[in-house]
Amino acid sequence: MQSKSVGIVGASGYSGELLVRLLSRHQGVESLVVASRSHAGKRLSEVLPSIGPSRFDESCFIESDPSALAASDTEVFFLALPHGVASEFALPLVKAGKTVIDLSADFRLFSAEVYREYYGEAHPAAEWLKKVPYLLPEWSGREALGASLIACPGCYPTSILLPLLPLIKGGLVDAGQVVINAVSGVSGAGKKASEFYSFCERTQSVLAYGLAKHRHLGEIEEQLTEAAGEPVVLQFTPHLVPMDRGIASTVVAPLKADLDAVYAAWNAQYGQCPFVRILAPGKAANTRNVVGSNCIEFSATADPRTGRVILTSVIDNLMKGASGQALQIFNLKFGFEETEGLL
Amino acid sequence: MQSKSVGIVGASGYSGELLVRLLSRHQGVESLVVASRSHAGKRLSEVLPSIGPSRFDESCFIESDPSALAASDTEVFFLALPHGVASEFALPLVKAGKTVIDLSADFRLFSAEVYREYYGEAHPAAEWLKKVPYLLPEWSGREALGASLIACPGCYPTSILLPLLPLIKGGLVDAGQVVINAVSGVSGAGKKASEFYSFCERTQSVLAYGLAKHRHLGEIEEQLTEAAGEPVVLQFTPHLVPMDRGIASTVVAPLKADLDAVYAAWNAQYGQCPFVRILAPGKAANTRNVVGSNCIEFSATADPRTGRVILTSVIDNLMKGASGQALQIFNLKFGFEETEGLL
Amino acid sequence: MQSKSVGIVGASGYSGELLVRLLSRHQGVESLVVASRSHAGKRLSEVLPSIGPSRFDESCFIESDPSALAASDTEVFFLALPHGVASEFALPLVKAGKTVIDLSADFRLFSAEVYREYYGEAHPAAEWLKKVPYLLPEWSGREALGASLIACPGCYPTSILLPLLPLIKGGLVDAGQVVINAVSGVSGAGKKASEFYSFCERTQSVLAYGLAKHRHLGEIEEQLTEAAGEPVVLQFTPHLVPMDRGIASTVVAPLKADLDAVYAAWNAQYGQCPFVRILAPGKAANTRNVVGSNCIEFSATADPRTGRVILTSVIDNLMKGASGQALQIFNLKFGFEETEGLL
Amino acid sequence: MQSKSVGIVGASGYSGELLVRLLSRHQGVESLVVASRSHAGKRLSEVLPSIGPSRFDESCFIESDPSALAASDTEVFFLALPHGVASEFALPLVKAGKTVIDLSADFRLFSAEVYREYYGEAHPAAEWLKKVPYLLPEWSGREALGASLIACPGCYPTSILLPLLPLIKGGLVDAGQVVINAVSGVSGAGKKASEFYSFCERTQSVLAYGLAKHRHLGEIEEQLTEAAGEPVVLQFTPHLVPMDRGIASTVVAPLKADLDAVYAAWNAQYGQCPFVRILAPGKAANTRNVVGSNCIEFSATADPRTGRVILTSVIDNLMKGASGQALQIFNLKFGFEETEGLL
């Protein structure tokens, strides 16, 4: 494997900051440029002190101009940008021959109609939607790694899809009766100046949000529909909890097989995956075990009273739900050890 | 209304401590004795500094001996004791002519078999189970107030039953397909010396527990079964979140009527209830709005994609879920203003 | 004591919200108007759901226009406004014969120069500074209650002055060598849309601020100087900690007497004060014991190695540090029980 | 540099767990054994799920028997044990030719009398105290690295000594008038089953502890005394705050030079140190910037009003205050890159 020159666009948010830290440790990153509208000219260590000592400490943020970045000799770009903005960078960069790993929601959906339904406007480059793979490393086929523009899954979807996809695909649960509740730490909302996200408002607060149609729903349903071979419609209710990082998803669905079949499907799919930790029935996944790591932890418990299976699944929303997974994709695409920079 | 002489048994836990504070403010409490095995002889203000200035500051804890308490001239007792222990006090006190408001789980169930199923042993006084009313103030008939031993509902059940009971009774939702997820602050586990409940273990942690059969399930199902007129079996998954006080329950069920009927049923039942706050569809109940108060806040949102209704409901587990509700029952039973001591 | 008609100006912040809740419980408040620029016309219960059931639930916010309020028949106003804004209301209201209890910093200082030094501009009504009493209920003389405009002490100053004033006045410590460190919960900064005060930025963060000259310093020094009879210059370093409410101040100073003299001075001054809890030497004051109450808790410990005394002192910044103390002043001024509405 | 075979004794606490995680990433660790009384026989990944994917996942805990460990072929041991227990392992291991890096307090003091004063009993191997170096990597001379038993500094001392030592040694501050306040996250107390350390007791709580003579005081004074060349007596008050990890220390002392001299002394001593981040005057060190990293961040601000300098200093108590610093010592001793495993 050859070392790469890497860029990050949008590094002043939480996932961008974490990417800088992870890439600083990575043996296969020979250079790093970081582009940011608000911080151009400042040193990385000044804006992001928590990245600690880093070989890129003295680097300065550069202007986040798509044409200039496209003309540069950086080979691979991570986009840690808000949805809608990412596509303004992704397309020029890909056209200039760069590899782009997009952490935003811009290319996660296949359907332009679904995009319009969830994001309230036409997709700016709808013709790309069907071409860009949605790459969930432990699930997606290896051919997706060949693409030069890759969409990273969202945080809620990652926590839900990994345990659920094999069960839907294998017909082990009733895909028509899936009910999902999930909770997220506050960093999921990004770095924001907002009364709602202030410490005092959030510290004693749990509440549902996105009732009844959170944006991640479209993404989850598309993936499950593909796995099921027929339309899947979900009940999905996310909640905010007073925690910095972490997502815990609880999925219930009628079980059409026995629990052994669930575990067999999981072991077949994930037995060799370094970041998947499968817990015994009756044990609940715990965000504390994954905060700061790129792991997903999940379990299945049968409820004989209701005939349903209960899946509990946790990730760190900024790691496996964003920056860690993006780096995992980078590793797989360029032939590095899957865990490089992620231990 | 005549002032009452009041006792608390078991005041060193969180709900007992809160009861002391609430009763200190209450205009109809003329005297207070507090019994505790571990603190007998100590002054209240020494053991419970957070009760603040109180007319009972200088009182001392007395021994928690059932016979001595039964022989005393205290008229009304609140039991803030672990399940299994409460019945050792409740029966001698009631037989001695006292009124007993029991915050424990000992008399919440009607069925001795269900008790054995959930608590793993025979009920010590099974013949009382059918006699002791389960008193949810906004729902239960006024005749229950006549009993001299009253069971206070649990915290999860209160948050779930108040919004759900009218819908089940009215046939507005499919009682056979109800899925409930709930999260609780850590105080729900009581005051404990335990590594699991330590600050560092809980502060970054969300996890499900009681998979798949939490003890409160029996209590919730019994009440819903009575309202439905036929057996109701639920999916109920509670979770622990890094928060001191508060419960948020999210209930989904197939909607058999329109949302107006849901709100009409709620308004009919709860329109005059001071502690019930009904939110508009699409607004999510927020624990922050109820922490420190005896209110329950809930809402209903229809999901036309799935045909289900989503109920969000929040309470303070120590107030409406325990001590506040116990005091509300006291007020109703003895003719005080329902909100006395609870504003 | 006669019931009063009461107004609050600026009730959308944390101290205003708490005042509404406290006044709703108060037996001597016959009516309440609440003025707010941003919420005029909305119902209280809509903007401030956490006030719980209240007799003023259905009241609406009115416009916060000084002239209109001055012309109204409301007798007493609490000002829960930012510094600089409060004086725009205080003077017209006082001139119209109202009583004004000001929670802001506008009239806390005696000296116009000190005001300019700490607030960076001339005081808008400097001639009032010497006339308005700074009223610390447990310390100030009763004649201050006669004023129609009263300045409530700030949160840090309250936690520091109550334990320290008797020692300075009695010459028990060396006033020239006092070093104070204090930490505050985040609500001390008010309700704000700010990245710095967001949950994720604060939840793992402790840091000093206001280096080396926090605004409350002028206020503390003025009071101590008056007690000492000579200029007192302090070292004061406040810090922010990841907590909602609460202030903990730690004061060290060379001890010029023995510890018994410290406790004797405290007992003489505070023996009859319902909100003062004096702890034994070696016990540390704990914010948990005062959050939600109007109490201050403090202790003194001698360090024979250094010859200093260590004072630890805690309050709830929104209660004894703001709204609770303002209500205590109201009670004392109008002859209500000192603890009315504050238990 | 040659790879090392490494052992950890006592890996079930927070610092042991973190050591496992850090060593798993380290390029110079060829094998790892982990000894624990309570977990012998269990797999690492089962007991410590949060270590994530690790090359040592499948290793099992072994018995923590000093003789067996001494007889093994492991070359280097980290002791993450309570004080008093560490010496039972340290001496047999060193005598058997092993290198021992001790995270406990057992060998931090030079004086057996000071040990007895702070720990209440005679030191079990007092003759070793003067022989074992106290190794603060950025301060201690390189000859200390030659020792086969090395004492790692405590968490509070690390945060205080690094900024303060050069100033004391250079005579830039008055060593006789130093006042230190510090706050620590709860993990500093270790993993414990205790009501006091439970989530609900700590989440709204700040309080001082160890009044007036915390155990770390002896260690800090010994080091400062050595630097000053005369006895230094400190005022040191630690506090507990509702945070998982992090220490913030605030030191004030009369400044005998100007602030430039302070920064010059720091730059001379720490200019090449990868884990030291020196902030400009007026900027306060923030625990958020160091949590999860091995950095220390500090600043100095002059207060012309009092003639004192205010130092603010922060570390992650489990990293630079324990496991990270231990690994840094390992790196320096065996010739690895100082930051290996610590980025």
Side-chain angles (χ1 to χ4, degrees):
Chain A
M1 314 126 290
Q2 237 189 319
S3 283
K4 296 288 164 191
S5 58
V6 175
I8 302 175
V9 189
S12 52
Y14 294 124
S15 55
E17 181 176 351
L18 182 55
L19 261 178
V20 172
R21 189 165 190 181
L22 296 174
L23 290 168
S24 301
R25 293 183 193 163
H26 197 285
Q27 313 272 334
V29 173
E30 71 183 24
S31 67
L32 179 67
V33 297
V34 188
S36 157
R37 249 163 229 180
S38 39
H39 297 301
K42 297 185 200 158
R43 277 185 307 124
L44 258 65
S45 58
E46 180 193 345
V47 177
L48 306 173
S50 69
I51 60 170
S54 153
R55 20 178 196 143
F56 306 123
D57 261 3
E58 299 301 310
S59 312
C60 286
F61 283 92
I62 61 171
E63 277 293 345
S64 63
D65 173 58
S67 324
L69 295 173
S72 74
D73 52 11
T74 298
E75 298 162 279
V76 186
F77 283 92
F78 292 89
L79 305 184
L81 292 164
H83 78 87
V85 180
S87 58
E88 295 171 21
F89 287 82
L91 301 183
L93 290 171
V94 166
K95 286 171 186 162
K98 313 298 187 189
T99 296
V100 176
I101 299 176
D102 180 13
L103 283 78
S104 87
D106 277 10
F107 298 97
R108 288 182 192 153
L109 294 171
F110 298 142
S111 153
E113 293 91 90
V114 174
Y115 184 90
R116 182 193 291 272
E117 183 184 351
Y118 281 90
Y119 291 89
E121 50 191 352
H123 192 279
E127 71 283 9
W128 281 80
L129 288 179
K130 289 217 181 346
K131 290 190 282 188
V132 179
Y134 179 91
L135 207 156
L136 197 50
E138 289 84 1
W139 179 257
S140 306
R142 284 299 169 260
E143 67 282 6
L145 292 167
S148 53
L149 171 53
I150 292 175
C152 297
C155 50
Y156 284 121
T158 295
S159 73
I160 292 161
L161 290 171
L162 283 176
L164 194 50
L165 278 166
L167 314 193
I168 294 284
K169 182 154 196 173
L172 306 180
V173 296
D174 178 350
Q177 295 292 328
V178 178
V179 175
I180 305 170
N181 270 260
V183 309
S184 173
V186 183
S187 64
K191 201 183 271 188
K192 273 191 193 154
S194 143
E195 187 183 305
F196 183 79
Y197 291 111
S198 69
F199 184 87
C200 296
E201 294 299 310
R202 299 271 56 74
T203 194
Q204 290 272 16
S205 173
V206 174
L207 82 172
Y209 65 105
L211 289 172
K213 210 167 157 186
H214 184 274
R215 278 178 172 173
H216 281 173
L217 180 54
E219 181 183 338
I220 304 170
E221 287 185 348
E222 271 200 0
Q223 297 298 317
L224 293 178
T225 292
E226 188 174 272
E230 56 176 8
V232 172
V233 177
L234 297 172
Q235 195 71 54
F236 170 56
T237 313
H239 301 71
L240 207 53
V241 296
M243 183 164 73
D244 184 6
R245 287 158 69 163
I247 279 185
S249 294
T250 299
V251 179
V252 299
L255 185 58
K256 297 164 67 181
D258 63 12
L259 206 55
D260 289 347
V262 168
Y263 278 84
W266 282 351
N267 288 324
Q269 182 73 31
Y270 303 127
Q272 305 308 313
C273 294
F275 296 117
V276 176
R277 189 160 55 230
I278 300 174
L279 303 181
K283 288 205 69 172
N286 183 346
T287 58
R288 193 189 184 283
N289 293 339
V290 296
V291 168
S293 101
N294 197 48
C295 285
I296 182 167
E297 175 176 294
F298 52 78
S299 72
T301 305
D303 186 348
R305 301 170 68 260
T306 64
R308 293 196 190 90
V309 66
I310 305 163
L311 312 180
T312 71
S313 174
V314 296
I315 59 169
D316 180 335
N317 56 307
L318 295 183
M319 286 289 290
K320 184 65 179 166
S323 308
Q325 186 150 269
L327 185 54
Q328 187 185 357
I329 290 169
F330 172 90
N331 286 340
L332 293 170
K333 179 167 178 69
F334 294 110
F336 297 105
E337 191 75 33
E338 187 167 0
T339 57
E340 175 59 36
L342 289 170
L343 295 179
Chain B
M1 313 126 289
Q2 237 190 320
S3 284
K4 296 287 165 190
S5 57
V6 176
I8 302 175
V9 189
S12 52
Y14 293 124
S15 55
E17 181 176 350
L18 182 54
L19 261 178
V20 172
R21 189 165 190 181
L22 295 173
L23 289 168
S24 300
R25 292 183 195 162
H26 196 286
Q27 312 273 334
V29 173
E30 70 182 25
S31 68
L32 180 67
V33 297
V34 188
S36 158
R37 249 163 227 178
S38 39
H39 297 302
K42 296 183 200 160
R43 275 184 308 124
L44 257 65
S45 58
E46 179 192 346
V47 176
L48 306 172
S50 69
I51 61 170
S54 154
R55 16 177 199 146
F56 305 123
D57 261 3
E58 298 302 310
S59 311
C60 287
F61 282 94
I62 60 170
E63 277 293 345
S64 63
D65 174 58
S67 323
L69 296 173
S72 74
D73 52 10
T74 298
E75 298 162 277
V76 186
F77 283 92
F78 291 90
L79 306 184
L81 293 165
H83 79 87
V85 180
S87 59
E88 295 171 22
F89 286 82
L91 301 184
L93 290 171
V94 166
K95 285 170 185 162
K98 313 300 186 189
T99 296
V100 175
I101 299 176
D102 180 14
L103 283 77
S104 88
D106 277 10
F107 297 97
R108 288 182 192 154
L109 294 171
F110 298 143
S111 153
E113 292 91 88
V114 175
Y115 184 91
R116 182 193 292 271
E117 185 185 350
Y118 281 89
Y119 291 88
E121 50 190 352
H123 192 280
E127 71 283 7
W128 281 79
L129 287 179
K130 289 220 182 341
K131 290 189 283 187
V132 178
Y134 179 90
L135 207 156
L136 197 50
E138 289 83 1
W139 178 257
S140 306
R142 284 299 168 259
E143 67 282 7
L145 291 167
S148 53
L149 171 54
I150 293 175
C152 297
C155 50
Y156 284 121
T158 295
S159 73
I160 292 161
L161 290 171
L162 283 176
L164 194 50
L165 278 165
L167 313 193
I168 294 284
K169 182 154 195 175
L172 305 181
V173 296
D174 179 349
Q177 296 292 327
V178 178
V179 176
I180 304 170
N181 272 261
V183 308
S184 174
V186 183
S187 64
K191 200 182 271 187
K192 273 190 193 155
S194 143
E195 187 182 305
F196 182 78
Y197 290 111
S198 70
F199 184 86
C200 296
E201 294 300 311
R202 299 270 57 74
T203 194
Q204 289 272 19
S205 172
V206 174
L207 82 171
Y209 65 104
L211 290 172
K213 210 168 157 184
H214 183 273
R215 278 178 172 174
H216 282 172
L217 180 54
E219 182 183 337
I220 304 170
E221 287 186 348
E222 271 199 2
Q223 296 298 317
L224 292 178
T225 292
E226 189 175 272
E230 55 178 9
V232 173
V233 177
L234 297 173
Q235 195 71 52
F236 169 55
T237 313
H239 302 70
L240 208 52
V241 295
M243 182 164 72
D244 184 7
R245 287 158 70 164
I247 278 184
S249 295
T250 299
V251 179
V252 299
L255 185 57
K256 297 164 66 181
D258 62 13
L259 205 55
D260 289 347
V262 168
Y263 277 83
W266 283 351
N267 288 324
Q269 182 74 30
Y270 303 127
Q272 305 308 313
C273 295
F275 296 117
V276 177
R277 189 161 53 231
I278 300 174
L279 303 181
K283 288 205 67 171
N286 182 346
T287 58
R288 193 189 186 283
N289 293 340
V290 297
V291 168
S293 101
N294 197 48
C295 285
I296 183 168
E297 177 176 292
F298 52 77
S299 73
T301 304
D303 185 348
R305 301 169 68 262
T306 64
R308 292 196 191 89
V309 65
I310 305 162
L311 312 180
T312 71
S313 173
V314 296
I315 60 168
D316 179 335
N317 57 307
L318 295 183
M319 285 289 289
K320 185 65 181 166
S323 308
Q325 186 149 270
L327 184 54
Q328 186 184 357
I329 290 169
F330 172 90
N331 286 339
L332 293 170
K333 178 167 177 68
F334 294 110
F336 297 105
E337 192 75 32
E338 187 168 1
T339 58
E340 175 60 36
L342 289 169
L343 296 181
Chain C
M1 314 127 293
Q2 236 188 319
S3 284
K4 295 288 165 192
S5 57
V6 176
I8 302 174
V9 189
S12 52
Y14 293 125
S15 55
E17 180 176 351
L18 181 55
L19 261 178
V20 172
R21 189 164 188 182
L22 295 173
L23 289 167
S24 301
R25 292 182 195 162
H26 196 287
Q27 312 273 333
V29 173
E30 70 180 27
S31 68
L32 180 67
V33 298
V34 188
S36 157
R37 249 163 227 177
S38 40
H39 297 301
K42 296 184 200 159
R43 276 185 308 123
L44 259 66
S45 57
E46 180 193 345
V47 176
L48 307 172
S50 68
I51 60 170
S54 153
R55 15 177 200 143
F56 305 123
D57 261 2
E58 299 301 310
S59 312
C60 287
F61 282 93
I62 60 171
E63 277 294 345
S64 62
D65 174 58
S67 325
L69 296 173
S72 75
D73 52 10
T74 298
E75 298 161 278
V76 187
F77 284 92
F78 292 90
L79 305 185
L81 292 164
H83 79 87
V85 180
S87 59
E88 295 172 22
F89 286 82
L91 301 184
L93 290 171
V94 166
K95 287 170 187 164
K98 314 300 187 187
T99 296
V100 175
I101 299 175
D102 180 13
L103 284 77
S104 88
D106 277 10
F107 298 96
R108 289 183 192 153
L109 294 171
F110 298 142
S111 153
E113 293 90 272
V114 175
Y115 185 91
R116 183 193 291 271
E117 184 185 351
Y118 282 90
Y119 292 90
E121 51 190 352
H123 192 280
E127 71 282 8
W128 280 81
L129 287 179
K130 288 216 184 341
K131 291 189 283 186
V132 178
Y134 179 89
L135 207 156
L136 197 50
E138 289 83 0
W139 179 257
S140 307
R142 284 298 168 260
E143 66 282 6
L145 291 167
S148 54
L149 171 55
I150 294 174
C152 297
C155 49
Y156 285 121
T158 295
S159 73
I160 291 161
L161 290 171
L162 284 176
L164 194 50
L165 278 166
L167 313 192
I168 294 284
K169 183 155 196 174
L172 306 180
V173 296
D174 178 351
Q177 296 291 330
V178 178
V179 176
I180 305 170
N181 270 260
V183 308
S184 173
V186 184
S187 63
K191 201 183 272 189
K192 273 191 192 152
S194 143
E195 189 183 304
F196 182 79
Y197 292 111
S198 69
F199 184 86
C200 296
E201 294 300 310
R202 299 269 59 75
T203 193
Q204 289 274 16
S205 173
V206 174
L207 82 171
Y209 66 104
L211 290 172
K213 211 167 154 185
H214 183 274
R215 280 179 172 174
H216 282 173
L217 180 53
E219 180 183 338
I220 304 169
E221 288 185 346
E222 271 200 358
Q223 296 298 317
L224 293 178
T225 293
E226 189 175 271
E230 55 177 9
V232 173
V233 176
L234 297 172
Q235 196 70 55
F236 169 55
T237 314
H239 301 71
L240 207 52
V241 295
M243 183 164 72
D244 184 6
R245 288 158 70 161
I247 278 185
S249 294
T250 299
V251 180
V252 299
L255 185 57
K256 297 164 66 181
D258 63 10
L259 206 56
D260 288 348
V262 169
Y263 278 84
W266 283 351
N267 287 324
Q269 182 74 31
Y270 304 127
Q272 306 306 315
C273 295
F275 296 117
V276 177
R277 189 160 52 228
I278 300 174
L279 303 181
K283 288 205 69 173
N286 183 346
T287 58
R288 193 190 186 281
N289 293 341
V290 297
V291 168
S293 102
N294 197 48
C295 286
I296 182 167
E297 176 176 292
F298 52 79
S299 73
T301 304
D303 185 347
R305 302 171 67 259
T306 64
R308 293 196 190 89
V309 66
I310 305 162
L311 312 180
T312 71
S313 173
V314 296
I315 60 168
D316 179 333
N317 56 307
L318 295 183
M319 286 288 288
K320 185 64 179 165
S323 308
Q325 186 150 268
L327 184 55
Q328 187 184 356
I329 291 170
F330 173 90
N331 286 339
L332 293 169
K333 179 168 177 68
F334 294 109
F336 297 105
E337 191 74 35
E338 188 168 359
T339 57
E340 175 59 36
L342 289 169
L343 296 180
Chain D
M1 314 126 295
Q2 236 190 320
S3 284
K4 295 288 165 191
S5 57
V6 176
I8 302 174
V9 188
S12 52
Y14 293 125
S15 55
E17 180 176 350
L18 181 55
L19 262 178
V20 172
R21 190 164 188 182
L22 295 173
L23 289 168
S24 301
R25 293 182 195 163
H26 196 286
Q27 312 272 335
V29 173
E30 71 182 26
S31 67
L32 180 67
V33 299
V34 189
S36 157
R37 246 161 230 177
S38 40
H39 297 302
K42 297 185 200 160
R43 276 185 308 123
L44 258 65
S45 58
E46 178 193 347
V47 176
L48 307 173
S50 68
I51 61 170
S54 154
R55 12 174 204 147
F56 305 122
D57 261 3
E58 299 302 309
S59 311
C60 286
F61 282 93
I62 61 171
E63 276 294 345
S64 63
D65 174 58
S67 325
L69 296 173
S72 74
D73 52 11
T74 298
E75 298 161 278
V76 186
F77 284 92
F78 292 90
L79 305 184
L81 293 165
H83 78 87
V85 180
S87 58
E88 296 171 21
F89 286 82
L91 301 183
L93 290 170
V94 166
K95 287 170 187 165
K98 313 300 187 189
T99 295
V100 175
I101 299 175
D102 180 13
L103 284 77
S104 87
D106 277 11
F107 298 95
R108 288 182 193 155
L109 294 171
F110 298 142
S111 154
E113 294 89 272
V114 174
Y115 184 90
R116 184 195 289 273
E117 184 185 351
Y118 282 89
Y119 292 89
E121 51 191 351
H123 192 279
E127 70 283 9
W128 281 80
L129 286 180
K130 290 218 183 338
K131 291 190 282 187
V132 179
Y134 179 90
L135 207 155
L136 198 49
E138 290 83 1
W139 178 258
S140 307
R142 284 297 170 260
E143 66 282 7
L145 291 167
S148 54
L149 171 53
I150 293 175
C152 297
C155 50
Y156 284 121
T158 296
S159 73
I160 291 161
L161 290 171
L162 283 176
L164 194 50
L165 278 166
L167 313 193
I168 294 284
K169 182 156 197 173
L172 306 180
V173 297
D174 178 351
Q177 296 292 330
V178 178
V179 176
I180 304 170
N181 272 260
V183 308
S184 173
V186 183
S187 63
K191 202 183 270 188
K192 273 191 191 152
S194 143
E195 187 182 304
F196 182 79
Y197 290 111
S198 69
F199 183 87
C200 295
E201 294 300 310
R202 298 269 57 74
T203 195
Q204 290 273 16
S205 173
V206 174
L207 83 171
Y209 65 105
L211 289 173
K213 211 168 155 184
H214 184 273
R215 279 178 171 172
H216 282 173
L217 180 53
E219 181 184 339
I220 304 170
E221 287 185 348
E222 271 200 359
Q223 296 298 317
L224 293 178
T225 292
E226 190 176 271
E230 55 177 10
V232 173
V233 176
L234 297 171
Q235 195 71 53
F236 170 55
T237 314
H239 301 72
L240 207 52
V241 294
M243 183 163 73
D244 184 6
R245 288 158 70 163
I247 278 185
S249 294
T250 299
V251 180
V252 299
L255 184 58
K256 297 164 66 182
D258 62 11
L259 205 56
D260 289 347
V262 168
Y263 278 84
W266 283 350
N267 287 323
Q269 181 74 30
Y270 304 126
Q272 307 306 316
C273 294
F275 296 117
V276 176
R277 190 161 52 230
I278 300 175
L279 303 181
K283 288 205 67 172
N286 183 346
T287 59
R288 194 190 185 281
N289 293 340
V290 297
V291 168
S293 101
N294 196 48
C295 285
I296 182 167
E297 175 176 292
F298 52 78
S299 72
T301 304
D303 185 347
R305 302 170 69 259
T306 64
R308 293 196 189 89
V309 66
I310 306 162
L311 312 179
T312 71
S313 174
V314 296
I315 59 168
D316 180 334
N317 57 308
L318 296 183
M319 286 289 289
K320 186 65 181 167
S323 308
Q325 186 150 269
L327 184 54
Q328 186 185 356
I329 291 170
F330 172 91
N331 286 338
L332 292 170
K333 179 169 177 66
F334 295 110
F336 298 104
E337 191 74 35
E338 187 169 359
T339 57
E340 174 59 37
L342 288 170
L343 295 180

